[in-house]
Amino acid sequence: MAKPEVFSGHTDPTMAAKANDLKEELQRLVKVIVDNDDDYDFTLQSIDRASQTLCALKDLKSKKPVSLKLPESLSCPEEFRCPISRELMKDPVIVASGQTYDRPFIQRWLKSGHRTCPQTQQVLSHILLTPNLLIREMISQWCRSHGIQLPDPLQYSNGDGLTEADRGHFLSLLDKLSSTPSNQKEAARELRFLTKRIPSFRQLFGESLDSIPQLLKPLSQNRSQSEEIHPDLQEDLITTLLNLSIHDNNKKIVAETPMVIPLLIDALRSGTIETRSNAAAALFTLSALDSNKGIIGKSGALKPLIELLEEGHPLAMKDVTSAIFNLCIIQENKARAVRDGAVMVILKKIANRMHVDELLAILAILSSNPNAVEEMVELGAVPCLFKIMRESEACDRNKENSVAILHTICFSDRSKWWEMREEENTYGTISQLAQNGTSRAKRKASGILERLNRAVNRTHTA
């Protein structure tokens, strides 16, 4: 009996997708090679991988395009079917639960946000996919015996330009971080480079619960043993942590990894200025999630951030002010910031005309805390804020924040009413803003004037 016809002359969509994946990988590697002028060894590695990818693309193009199609009369063994698609598996892979699926279908399941095994409903400890070579060989033998050619899996992309080769390289770099000091430095430097230049590489850290502890192992070991960490190694690891935290899906898992925030706090206090600045930037990035704001605040990160702000190093100011602002959006962190001396440090910087825009925004947020308002009054914030409002070169946002803070003081402390009336009588500062400011500034300035006028009327009536 003749063997069933299983080939067609049309292009197999799977093979076409593989060709596109290889082209994307090749483009990415060429860009890395062209852009990297600093690391000769890393460039050679990229060239080797580009050459391998080009050979794989050549092999794929030289194959006759086929599509795998089982005739209706032929049924494959149940164990060769993907539990999701119920079709013959072309690229069987094993998930963390030990179950086997066809790669494209389990990838689709995972990309939709699931973190459980479709068959067992077990929560997956990681989402790395391991080729099931035994099942693959058994399927190949069955296909050969029935005259079916199974396409060879060359390089499989997850849709974001990452291949199994990338994953293997990633895991080897994490292993190096548990090796000798020289291997740790080499791996940390390369991870820093990869997570900066290749955004899709950052997502690999979210695929395994152990990857972030592995990344930070050199820092955590030195911390537990009270040993000094090499400044370059610390800088590379903290910067890598910053890079991977930019990926939205990583923010929660990074902040909830117990060692992360304490190590970032250590980095804020000791290390190169770039390490300290990048630690502040990492806290800012992580604080984009409200749940992370509480975690970071409870860990005591605000105090070292305020200390770094007080130092005033130009390289760190932007990141540290951004981090403090984000963290102080929630009430409990406002109290912590005030307790840790934020008001005094901020007012000193504003008086010296340093980063006035950012610091006024922080002060405006803190003004909803009664203790902050009390401290502002004691430290002479009122004349400082009026001076900013009078300055013609002051931007509208700074005037708006200044009058918003004064509005809170006006409604919290009667002792400053006389000073505010004197300012208005002498310069007309408040009424000018009530007429020409932003909508919020007009509202706050009008509120102050109304309160002051009521106070005057009550005095006259009495």
PDB file of all heavy atoms in Angstrom, residues 203-231:
ATOM      1  N   GLN A 203      13.238  40.545  30.372  1.00  0.00           N
ATOM      2  CA  GLN A 203      12.119  39.704  30.785  1.00  0.00           C
ATOM      3  C   GLN A 203      12.567  38.341  31.282  1.00  0.00           C
ATOM      4  O   GLN A 203      11.827  37.661  31.992  1.00  0.00           O
ATOM      5  CB  GLN A 203      11.139  39.531  29.629  1.00  0.00           C
ATOM      6  CG  GLN A 203      11.622  38.605  28.537  1.00  0.00           C
ATOM      7  CD  GLN A 203      10.682  38.597  27.350  1.00  0.00           C
ATOM      8  OE1 GLN A 203      10.193  39.640  26.922  1.00  0.00           O
ATOM      9  NE2 GLN A 203      10.435  37.427  26.812  1.00  0.00           N
ATOM     10  N   LEU A 204      13.781  37.932  30.930  1.00  0.00           N
ATOM     11  CA  LEU A 204      14.267  36.620  31.373  1.00  0.00           C
ATOM     12  C   LEU A 204      14.325  36.531  32.889  1.00  0.00           C
ATOM     13  O   LEU A 204      14.169  35.456  33.465  1.00  0.00           O
ATOM     14  CB  LEU A 204      15.652  36.331  30.777  1.00  0.00           C
ATOM     15  CG  LEU A 204      15.698  36.121  29.256  1.00  0.00           C
ATOM     16  CD1 LEU A 204      17.127  35.945  28.790  1.00  0.00           C
ATOM     17  CD2 LEU A 204      14.863  34.923  28.852  1.00  0.00           C
ATOM     18  N   PHE A 205      14.559  37.674  33.552  1.00  0.00           N
ATOM     19  CA  PHE A 205      14.637  37.666  35.015  1.00  0.00           C
ATOM     20  C   PHE A 205      13.285  37.395  35.650  1.00  0.00           C
ATOM     21  O   PHE A 205      13.214  36.993  36.805  1.00  0.00           O
ATOM     22  CB  PHE A 205      15.196  38.995  35.522  1.00  0.00           C
ATOM     23  CG  PHE A 205      16.679  39.128  35.348  1.00  0.00           C
ATOM     24  CD1 PHE A 205      17.201  39.673  34.193  1.00  0.00           C
ATOM     25  CD2 PHE A 205      17.542  38.698  36.339  1.00  0.00           C
ATOM     26  CE1 PHE A 205      18.574  39.803  34.021  1.00  0.00           C
ATOM     27  CE2 PHE A 205      18.913  38.820  36.184  1.00  0.00           C
ATOM     28  CZ  PHE A 205      19.435  39.371  35.016  1.00  0.00           C
ATOM     29  N   GLY A 206      12.210  37.627  34.911  1.00  0.00           N
ATOM     30  CA  GLY A 206      10.885  37.359  35.449  1.00  0.00           C
ATOM     31  C   GLY A 206      10.418  35.940  35.211  1.00  0.00           C
ATOM     32  O   GLY A 206       9.354  35.538  35.695  1.00  0.00           O
ATOM     33  N   GLU A 207      11.219  35.147  34.480  1.00  0.00           N
ATOM     34  CA  GLU A 207      10.804  33.790  34.141  1.00  0.00           C
ATOM     35  C   GLU A 207      11.205  32.765  35.194  1.00  0.00           C
ATOM     36  O   GLU A 207      10.781  31.626  35.135  1.00  0.00           O
ATOM     37  CB  GLU A 207      11.385  33.396  32.778  1.00  0.00           C
ATOM     38  CG  GLU A 207      10.809  34.222  31.630  1.00  0.00           C
ATOM     39  CD  GLU A 207      11.313  33.782  30.279  1.00  0.00           C
ATOM     40  OE1 GLU A 207      12.165  32.847  30.238  1.00  0.00           O
ATOM     41  OE2 GLU A 207      10.890  34.343  29.257  1.00  0.00           O
ATOM     42  N   SER A 208      12.043  33.163  36.131  1.00  0.00           N
ATOM     43  CA  SER A 208      12.466  32.241  37.188  1.00  0.00           C
ATOM     44  C   SER A 208      12.562  32.989  38.511  1.00  0.00           C
ATOM     45  O   SER A 208      13.149  34.077  38.577  1.00  0.00           O
ATOM     46  CB  SER A 208      13.818  31.619  36.836  1.00  0.00           C
ATOM     47  OG  SER A 208      14.327  30.884  37.933  1.00  0.00           O
ATOM     48  N   LEU A 209      12.007  32.416  39.549  1.00  0.00           N
ATOM     49  CA  LEU A 209      12.027  33.056  40.866  1.00  0.00           C
ATOM     50  C   LEU A 209      13.436  33.144  41.442  1.00  0.00           C
ATOM     51  O   LEU A 209      13.695  33.950  42.338  1.00  0.00           O
ATOM     52  CB  LEU A 209      11.121  32.289  41.834  1.00  0.00           C
ATOM     53  CG  LEU A 209       9.631  32.252  41.469  1.00  0.00           C
ATOM     54  CD1 LEU A 209       8.869  31.377  42.460  1.00  0.00           C
ATOM     55  CD2 LEU A 209       9.040  33.645  41.430  1.00  0.00           C
ATOM     56  N   ASP A 210      14.345  32.326  40.911  1.00  0.00           N
ATOM     57  CA  ASP A 210      15.705  32.281  41.462  1.00  0.00           C
ATOM     58  C   ASP A 210      16.666  33.222  40.760  1.00  0.00           C
ATOM     59  O   ASP A 210      17.794  33.416  41.229  1.00  0.00           O
ATOM     60  CB  ASP A 210      16.264  30.852  41.364  1.00  0.00           C
ATOM     61  CG  ASP A 210      15.481  29.863  42.210  1.00  0.00           C
ATOM     62  OD1 ASP A 210      14.951  30.293  43.249  1.00  0.00           O
ATOM     63  OD2 ASP A 210      15.396  28.683  41.835  1.00  0.00           O
ATOM     64  N   SER A 211      16.272  33.793  39.632  1.00  0.00           N
ATOM     65  CA  SER A 211      17.244  34.549  38.831  1.00  0.00           C
ATOM     66  C   SER A 211      17.725  35.815  39.537  1.00  0.00           C
ATOM     67  O   SER A 211      18.908  36.155  39.467  1.00  0.00           O
ATOM     68  CB  SER A 211      16.650  34.885  37.463  1.00  0.00           C
ATOM     69  OG  SER A 211      15.474  35.655  37.609  1.00  0.00           O
ATOM     70  N   ILE A 212      16.829  36.534  40.216  1.00  0.00           N
ATOM     71  CA  ILE A 212      17.243  37.775  40.881  1.00  0.00           C
ATOM     72  C   ILE A 212      18.143  37.485  42.091  1.00  0.00           C
ATOM     73  O   ILE A 212      19.179  38.138  42.253  1.00  0.00           O
ATOM     74  CB  ILE A 212      16.011  38.613  41.271  1.00  0.00           C
ATOM     75  CG1 ILE A 212      15.266  39.033  39.997  1.00  0.00           C
ATOM     76  CG2 ILE A 212      16.415  39.846  42.076  1.00  0.00           C
ATOM     77  CD1 ILE A 212      13.937  39.686  40.239  1.00  0.00           C
ATOM     78  N   PRO A 213      17.797  36.505  42.967  1.00  0.00           N
ATOM     79  CA  PRO A 213      18.752  36.144  44.021  1.00  0.00           C
ATOM     80  C   PRO A 213      20.101  35.699  43.471  1.00  0.00           C
ATOM     81  O   PRO A 213      21.142  36.015  44.059  1.00  0.00           O
ATOM     82  CB  PRO A 213      18.043  34.989  44.748  1.00  0.00           C
ATOM     83  CG  PRO A 213      16.586  35.257  44.547  1.00  0.00           C
ATOM     84  CD  PRO A 213      16.493  35.816  43.148  1.00  0.00           C
ATOM     85  N   GLN A 214      20.102  34.998  42.341  1.00  0.00           N
ATOM     86  CA  GLN A 214      21.372  34.588  41.726  1.00  0.00           C
ATOM     87  C   GLN A 214      22.157  35.805  41.263  1.00  0.00           C
ATOM     88  O   GLN A 214      23.376  35.874  41.434  1.00  0.00           O
ATOM     89  CB  GLN A 214      21.117  33.659  40.540  1.00  0.00           C
ATOM     90  CG  GLN A 214      20.839  32.219  40.929  1.00  0.00           C
ATOM     91  CD  GLN A 214      20.693  31.326  39.700  1.00  0.00           C
ATOM     92  OE1 GLN A 214      19.616  31.213  39.123  1.00  0.00           O
ATOM     93  NE2 GLN A 214      21.780  30.731  39.296  1.00  0.00           N
ATOM     94  N   LEU A 215      21.467  36.775  40.661  1.00  0.00           N
ATOM     95  CA  LEU A 215      22.125  37.995  40.207  1.00  0.00           C
ATOM     96  C   LEU A 215      22.805  38.722  41.363  1.00  0.00           C
ATOM     97  O   LEU A 215      23.933  39.211  41.235  1.00  0.00           O
ATOM     98  CB  LEU A 215      21.090  38.918  39.554  1.00  0.00           C
ATOM     99  CG  LEU A 215      21.562  40.341  39.221  1.00  0.00           C
ATOM    100  CD1 LEU A 215      22.560  40.321  38.074  1.00  0.00           C
ATOM    101  CD2 LEU A 215      20.381  41.243  38.892  1.00  0.00           C
ATOM    102  N   LEU A 216      22.125  38.777  42.496  1.00  0.00           N
ATOM    103  CA  LEU A 216      22.611  39.568  43.634  1.00  0.00           C
ATOM    104  C   LEU A 216      23.426  38.758  44.638  1.00  0.00           C
ATOM    105  O   LEU A 216      23.803  39.278  45.688  1.00  0.00           O
ATOM    106  CB  LEU A 216      21.422  40.222  44.336  1.00  0.00           C
ATOM    107  CG  LEU A 216      20.582  41.179  43.464  1.00  0.00           C
ATOM    108  CD1 LEU A 216      19.378  41.672  44.238  1.00  0.00           C
ATOM    109  CD2 LEU A 216      21.428  42.352  42.987  1.00  0.00           C
ATOM    110  N   LYS A 217      23.697  37.501  44.312  1.00  0.00           N
ATOM    111  CA  LYS A 217      24.413  36.632  45.252  1.00  0.00           C
ATOM    112  C   LYS A 217      25.764  37.207  45.694  1.00  0.00           C
ATOM    113  O   LYS A 217      26.094  37.168  46.887  1.00  0.00           O
ATOM    114  CB  LYS A 217      24.599  35.245  44.643  1.00  0.00           C
ATOM    115  CG  LYS A 217      25.124  34.222  45.638  1.00  0.00           C
ATOM    116  CD  LYS A 217      25.115  32.817  45.047  1.00  0.00           C
ATOM    117  CE  LYS A 217      25.590  31.793  46.068  1.00  0.00           C
ATOM    118  NZ  LYS A 217      25.582  30.417  45.506  1.00  0.00           N
ATOM    119  N   PRO A 218      26.583  37.758  44.782  1.00  0.00           N
ATOM    120  CA  PRO A 218      27.858  38.336  45.245  1.00  0.00           C
ATOM    121  C   PRO A 218      27.667  39.449  46.262  1.00  0.00           C
ATOM    122  O   PRO A 218      28.443  39.566  47.222  1.00  0.00           O
ATOM    123  CB  PRO A 218      28.490  38.868  43.946  1.00  0.00           C
ATOM    124  CG  PRO A 218      27.878  38.050  42.859  1.00  0.00           C
ATOM    125  CD  PRO A 218      26.469  37.794  43.310  1.00  0.00           C
ATOM    126  N   LEU A 219      26.622  40.270  46.094  1.00  0.00           N
ATOM    127  CA  LEU A 219      26.379  41.359  47.042  1.00  0.00           C
ATOM    128  C   LEU A 219      25.845  40.835  48.367  1.00  0.00           C
ATOM    129  O   LEU A 219      26.273  41.292  49.433  1.00  0.00           O
ATOM    130  CB  LEU A 219      25.377  42.353  46.450  1.00  0.00           C
ATOM    131  CG  LEU A 219      25.781  43.090  45.167  1.00  0.00           C
ATOM    132  CD1 LEU A 219      24.663  44.033  44.734  1.00  0.00           C
ATOM    133  CD2 LEU A 219      27.063  43.863  45.368  1.00  0.00           C
ATOM    134  N   SER A 220      24.918  39.883  48.307  1.00  0.00           N
ATOM    135  CA  SER A 220      24.318  39.369  49.545  1.00  0.00           C
ATOM    136  C   SER A 220      25.340  38.581  50.353  1.00  0.00           C
ATOM    137  O   SER A 220      25.335  38.629  51.591  1.00  0.00           O
ATOM    138  CB  SER A 220      23.104  38.498  49.224  1.00  0.00           C
ATOM    139  OG  SER A 220      23.455  37.420  48.390  1.00  0.00           O
ATOM    140  N   GLN A 221      26.229  37.852  49.686  1.00  0.00           N
ATOM    141  CA  GLN A 221      27.265  37.096  50.408  1.00  0.00           C
ATOM    142  C   GLN A 221      28.209  38.037  51.137  1.00  0.00           C
ATOM    143  O   GLN A 221      28.533  37.824  52.305  1.00  0.00           O
ATOM    144  CB  GLN A 221      28.053  36.226  49.422  1.00  0.00           C
ATOM    145  CG  GLN A 221      27.353  34.930  49.044  1.00  0.00           C
ATOM    146  CD  GLN A 221      28.212  34.051  48.159  1.00  0.00           C
ATOM    147  OE1 GLN A 221      29.087  34.534  47.441  1.00  0.00           O
ATOM    148  NE2 GLN A 221      27.964  32.756  48.191  1.00  0.00           N
ATOM    149  N   ASN A 222      28.662  39.076  50.454  1.00  0.00           N
ATOM    150  CA  ASN A 222      29.567  40.035  51.092  1.00  0.00           C
ATOM    151  C   ASN A 222      28.887  40.766  52.237  1.00  0.00           C
ATOM    152  O   ASN A 222      29.511  41.077  53.252  1.00  0.00           O
ATOM    153  CB  ASN A 222      30.066  41.053  50.057  1.00  0.00           C
ATOM    154  CG  ASN A 222      31.135  40.474  49.157  1.00  0.00           C
ATOM    155  OD1 ASN A 222      30.873  39.539  48.403  1.00  0.00           O
ATOM    156  ND2 ASN A 222      32.346  41.000  49.216  1.00  0.00           N
ATOM    157  N   ARG A 223      27.589  41.005  52.087  1.00  0.00           N
ATOM    158  CA  ARG A 223      26.843  41.691  53.147  1.00  0.00           C
ATOM    159  C   ARG A 223      26.749  40.819  54.390  1.00  0.00           C
ATOM    160  O   ARG A 223      26.935  41.286  55.519  1.00  0.00           O
ATOM    161  CB  ARG A 223      25.440  42.025  52.630  1.00  0.00           C
ATOM    162  CG  ARG A 223      24.633  42.945  53.536  1.00  0.00           C
ATOM    163  CD  ARG A 223      23.334  43.333  52.824  1.00  0.00           C
ATOM    164  NE  ARG A 223      22.681  44.453  53.489  1.00  0.00           N
ATOM    165  CZ  ARG A 223      21.653  44.339  54.320  1.00  0.00           C
ATOM    166  NH1 ARG A 223      21.164  43.137  54.597  1.00  0.00           N
ATOM    167  NH2 ARG A 223      21.113  45.404  54.871  1.00  0.00           N
ATOM    168  N   SER A 224      26.454  39.535  54.204  1.00  0.00           N
ATOM    169  CA  SER A 224      26.310  38.635  55.339  1.00  0.00           C
ATOM    170  C   SER A 224      27.647  38.381  56.027  1.00  0.00           C
ATOM    171  O   SER A 224      27.697  38.113  57.224  1.00  0.00           O
ATOM    172  CB  SER A 224      25.695  37.308  54.879  1.00  0.00           C
ATOM    173  OG  SER A 224      26.544  36.656  53.962  1.00  0.00           O
ATOM    174  N   GLN A 225      28.726  38.471  55.257  1.00  0.00           N
ATOM    175  CA  GLN A 225      30.053  38.231  55.825  1.00  0.00           C
ATOM    176  C   GLN A 225      30.777  39.516  56.201  1.00  0.00           C
ATOM    177  O   GLN A 225      31.949  39.490  56.587  1.00  0.00           O
ATOM    178  CB  GLN A 225      30.896  37.445  54.810  1.00  0.00           C
ATOM    179  CG  GLN A 225      30.321  36.068  54.489  1.00  0.00           C
ATOM    180  CD  GLN A 225      30.988  35.413  53.290  1.00  0.00           C
ATOM    181  OE1 GLN A 225      31.977  35.926  52.757  1.00  0.00           O
ATOM    182  NE2 GLN A 225      30.460  34.280  52.865  1.00  0.00           N
ATOM    183  N   SER A 226      30.040  40.641  56.087  1.00  0.00           N
ATOM    184  CA  SER A 226      30.606  41.965  56.423  1.00  0.00           C
ATOM    185  C   SER A 226      31.903  42.248  55.678  1.00  0.00           C
ATOM    186  O   SER A 226      32.832  42.837  56.213  1.00  0.00           O
ATOM    187  CB  SER A 226      30.846  42.068  57.941  1.00  0.00           C
ATOM    188  OG  SER A 226      29.634  41.887  58.636  1.00  0.00           O
ATOM    189  N   GLU A 227      31.951  41.819  54.434  1.00  0.00           N
ATOM    190  CA  GLU A 227      33.117  42.066  53.596  1.00  0.00           C
ATOM    191  C   GLU A 227      32.817  43.166  52.592  1.00  0.00           C
ATOM    192  O   GLU A 227      31.671  43.380  52.206  1.00  0.00           O
ATOM    193  CB  GLU A 227      33.528  40.786  52.856  1.00  0.00           C
ATOM    194  CG  GLU A 227      33.984  39.659  53.771  1.00  0.00           C
ATOM    195  CD  GLU A 227      34.352  38.410  52.992  1.00  0.00           C
ATOM    196  OE1 GLU A 227      34.289  38.462  51.745  1.00  0.00           O
ATOM    197  OE2 GLU A 227      34.696  37.401  53.617  1.00  0.00           O
ATOM    198  N   GLU A 228      33.871  43.856  52.158  1.00  0.00           N
ATOM    199  CA  GLU A 228      33.696  44.906  51.167  1.00  0.00           C
ATOM    200  C   GLU A 228      33.539  44.301  49.781  1.00  0.00           C
ATOM    201  O   GLU A 228      34.226  43.355  49.424  1.00  0.00           O
ATOM    202  CB  GLU A 228      34.893  45.864  51.189  1.00  0.00           C
ATOM    203  CG  GLU A 228      34.908  46.793  52.396  1.00  0.00           C
ATOM    204  CD  GLU A 228      35.950  47.892  52.237  1.00  0.00           C
ATOM    205  OE1 GLU A 228      36.472  48.061  51.122  1.00  0.00           O
ATOM    206  OE2 GLU A 228      36.232  48.565  53.229  1.00  0.00           O
ATOM    207  N   ILE A 229      32.631  44.867  49.005  1.00  0.00           N
ATOM    208  CA  ILE A 229      32.406  44.423  47.652  1.00  0.00           C
ATOM    209  C   ILE A 229      33.249  45.287  46.710  1.00  0.00           C
ATOM    210  O   ILE A 229      33.460  46.468  46.978  1.00  0.00           O
ATOM    211  CB  ILE A 229      30.904  44.516  47.287  1.00  0.00           C
ATOM    212  CG1 ILE A 229      30.636  43.899  45.925  1.00  0.00           C
ATOM    213  CG2 ILE A 229      30.429  45.961  47.298  1.00  0.00           C
ATOM    214  CD1 ILE A 229      30.618  42.418  45.917  1.00  0.00           C
ATOM    215  N   HIS A 230      33.713  44.689  45.623  1.00  0.00           N
ATOM    216  CA  HIS A 230      34.480  45.466  44.654  1.00  0.00           C
ATOM    217  C   HIS A 230      33.559  46.527  44.046  1.00  0.00           C
ATOM    218  O   HIS A 230      32.453  46.215  43.596  1.00  0.00           O
ATOM    219  CB  HIS A 230      35.027  44.550  43.557  1.00  0.00           C
ATOM    220  CG  HIS A 230      36.041  45.214  42.686  1.00  0.00           C
ATOM    221  ND1 HIS A 230      35.693  46.092  41.677  1.00  0.00           N
ATOM    222  CD2 HIS A 230      37.403  45.135  42.667  1.00  0.00           C
ATOM    223  CE1 HIS A 230      36.779  46.525  41.070  1.00  0.00           C
ATOM    224  NE2 HIS A 230      37.832  45.966  41.649  1.00  0.00           N
ATOM    225  N   PRO A 231      33.993  47.788  44.013  1.00  0.00           N
ATOM    226  CA  PRO A 231      33.110  48.872  43.541  1.00  0.00           C
ATOM    227  C   PRO A 231      32.555  48.636  42.129  1.00  0.00           C
ATOM    228  O   PRO A 231      31.388  48.923  41.863  1.00  0.00           O
ATOM    229  CB  PRO A 231      34.011  50.113  43.582  1.00  0.00           C
ATOM    230  CG  PRO A 231      35.069  49.785  44.576  1.00  0.00           C
ATOM    231  CD  PRO A 231      35.292  48.305  44.466  1.00  0.00           C
TER     232      PRO A 231
END
